[in-house]
Amino acid sequence: MSSPPTSTGAIPDGRQDSAQARAEVPAALGETRLSPNAPAALPRAGNARQRWLRVRHDTVYDYDAPVELAHHLAWLRPRETAQQRIHGWSLEISPRPDATARLPADAVPLPAADAAAPSELDWADGLLGVHQSQDVWGNWRAGFSHARVHDRLEVRSSFVAELSAPPALQPAISPPWEGVAEQLRYHPGRPHDAAVEFALPSYFAPRDAALARFAREIFRPGTPLLVGALRLMQRVHRDFAYRPAATSVTTRATDALAQRHGVCQDFAHVMIGALRSIGLAARYVSGYLLTHPPPGQPRLVGADASHAWMAVWCPLHGWVALDPTNDVPAGQDHVTLAWGRDYADVAPLRGVIRGGGRAQPRVGVTVEPVG
């Protein structure tokens, strides 16, 4: 957050997991609403194998001083996967963004629909000042700007996710991890798999000797890759204390490994860094987790969590998502938002502002079953 009113500073949306204090957020925003894929009527949750979850993610900044100029990027539109379909996603922003904002230089514009209907990009550009594009990993991002003075920013993303159960894992038949690591190494003249990008180090999940030693305590020679990954998940869950506020969004995997405590972001970064440090490919996943209130207690609006987990690449199984915070493979309680090399690629809301003083985001997340 910027300090003097005339300086420029970056504002990330802080981690929202169980470690983050919840906040009361407004029931309605109303200024700008972007609903590119809202159906005429929400399908009924009639398939017992499907789980339907309604998600609302509110972020509010109350600035200490007026903001004169602001540019924001939001990774708040959930992506669709083989196990996840999204219905009725909408983005509401107050105050209304300027209609003159421009796409990032590396933006991939949305394809136009047909001659009779404008593309999503044209609609957002002409009416709402919200510009959608996809980043290099295929995640949706929305860019918007404010050139008018304001002292408060409210952003709400809401949607319904239709979730299928992931395929059953067969860890014992996954290939030995050393062969996969060798496959991911650079070989001149040999085509490489796209997963190679996630075997490379990143700022929050680097390759490191201490992380490699941590992984090699589990990944003995000949260990099937997924057997080792599941054991590593169990080890992180067992050895690391879940301690809210003990770390921050700037904590790296090496720091979390040394401290042996943190929150979901740290647990994911440690697993990713450990796997990369022995040559395997792993990526960071942001999203939401359905939590369950105590028996007899109502579900509280805004009291759920955005969450983070990771996924490891296996040539036989593809990307396998694992949640070290809860020691479970990601399933129908997990709603995927975006994925990247680490947290820096998929922070839900970030921006650069002039003015504003100091302000921490107040975040409220609600995840509830539908039907």
Side-chain angles (χ1 to χ4, degrees), residues 6 14 32 42 119 191 235 248 251 304:
T6 56
T32 292
L42 185 67
S119 69
R235 172 79 182 274
S248 73
T251 301
D304 286 318

Side-chain angles (χ1 to χ4, degrees), residues 19-54:
Q20 193 87 13
R22 306 295 172 231
E24 294 295 330
V25 292
L29 299 181
E31 283 273 359
T32 292
R33 185 177 184 88
L34 175 62
S35 305
N37 61 339
L42 185 67
R44 296 180 61 84
N47 188 340
R49 297 182 181 180
Q50 307 297 103
R51 166 164 280 179
W52 296 72
L53 298 177
R54 188 185 309 278

Side-chain angles (χ1 to χ4, degrees), residues 240 247 251-262 266-267 270:
F240 286 66
T247 56
T251 301
R252 304 176 73 195
T254 46
D255 301 322
L257 178 68
Q259 297 167 7
R260 298 297 173 111
H261 59 237
D266 305 303
F267 290 15
V270 167

Side-chain angles (χ1 to χ4, degrees), residues 28 48 55-56 62 72 92 95 161 166 174 202 205 237 268 276 334 336:
V55 179
R56 192 179 86 184
D62 283 305
H72 300 279
E92 298 173 77
S174 60
S202 63
H237 178 78
R276 289 177 182 170
H334 294 75
T336 299

Side-chain angles (χ1 to χ4, degrees), residues 277-297:
S277 295
I278 59 171
L280 299 175
R283 67 190 183 193
Y284 183 93
V285 185
S286 69
Y288 306 97
L289 179 67
L290 175 68
T291 59
H292 301 277
Q297 298 297 314

Side-chain angles (χ1 to χ4, degrees), residues 8-314:
T8 299
I11 56 168
D13 184 20
R15 288 172 303 182
Q16 300 92 45
D17 50 36
S18 316
Q20 193 87 13
R22 306 295 172 231
E24 294 295 330
V25 292
L29 299 181
E31 283 273 359
T32 292
R33 185 177 184 88
L34 175 62
S35 305
N37 61 339
L42 185 67
R44 296 180 61 84
N47 188 340
R49 297 182 181 180
Q50 307 297 103
R51 166 164 280 179
W52 296 72
L53 298 177
R54 188 185 309 278
V55 179
R56 192 179 86 184
H57 183 161
D58 289 289
T59 305
V60 178
Y61 281 90
D62 283 305
Y63 299 108
D64 290 343
V67 174
E68 302 171 7
L69 181 66
H71 300 288
H72 300 279
L73 282 175
W75 276 259
L76 287 170
R77 177 175 174 177
R79 61 188 303 154
E80 298 212 348
T81 71
Q83 281 78 48
Q84 176 173 290
R85 294 185 61 195
I86 303 301
H87 302 274
W89 176 75
S90 67
L91 184 67
E92 298 173 77
I93 303 168
S94 179
R96 182 187 299 277
D98 300 334
T100 56
R102 289 291 175 259
L103 284 165
D106 61 342
V108 180
L110 299 174
D114 54 58
S119 69
E120 290 180 37
L121 182 60
D122 290 337
W123 180 35
D125 188 28
L127 299 178
L128 301 167
V130 177
H131 304 276
Q132 291 198 86
S133 61
Q134 287 179 288
D135 64 18
V136 67
W137 313 119
N139 303 305
W140 291 105
R141 62 185 172 188
F144 58 95
S145 298
H146 295 103
R148 294 171 295 164
V149 175
H150 59 284
D151 56 14
R152 181 181 177 90
L153 174 66
E154 302 174 56
V155 179
R156 171 177 296 168
S157 171
S158 56
F159 60 91
V160 170
E162 176 188 356
L163 301 166
S164 304
L169 293 180
Q170 296 179 286
I173 67 171
S174 60
W177 72 270
E178 307 99 319
V180 179
E182 177 63 24
Q183 181 180 339
L184 290 167
R185 293 180 62 185
Y186 172 71
H187 297 277
R190 185 189 300 180
H192 67 270
D193 193 278
V196 169
E197 295 279 0
F198 295 97
L200 301 176
S202 63
Y203 178 78
F204 286 108
R207 287 184 172 183
D208 176 81
L211 287 165
R213 287 193 297 271
F214 182 69
R216 288 183 187 278
E217 292 175 6
I218 292 170
F219 283 84
R220 304 293 186 182
T223 300
L225 188 153
L226 288 186
V227 170
L230 288 166
R231 289 174 180 170
L232 182 62
M233 175 182 70
Q234 294 163 0
R235 172 79 182 274
V236 171
H237 178 78
R238 182 184 71 241
D239 290 1
F240 286 66
Y242 189 90
R243 192 170 298 170
T247 56
S248 73
V249 292
T250 63
T251 301
R252 304 176 73 195
T254 46
D255 301 322
L257 178 68
Q259 297 167 7
R260 298 297 173 111
H261 59 237
V263 292
C264 61
Q265 173 181 309
D266 305 303
F267 290 15
H269 281 157
V270 167
M271 270 200 76
I272 295 167
L275 291 167
R276 289 177 182 170
S277 295
I278 59 171
L280 299 175
R283 67 190 183 193
Y284 183 93
V285 185
S286 69
Y288 306 97
L289 179 67
L290 175 68
T291 59
H292 301 277
Q297 298 297 314
R299 184 175 299 278
L300 301 178
V301 174
D304 286 318
S306 70
H307 193 42
W309 56 98
M310 56 78 62
V312 61
W313 183 76
C314 172

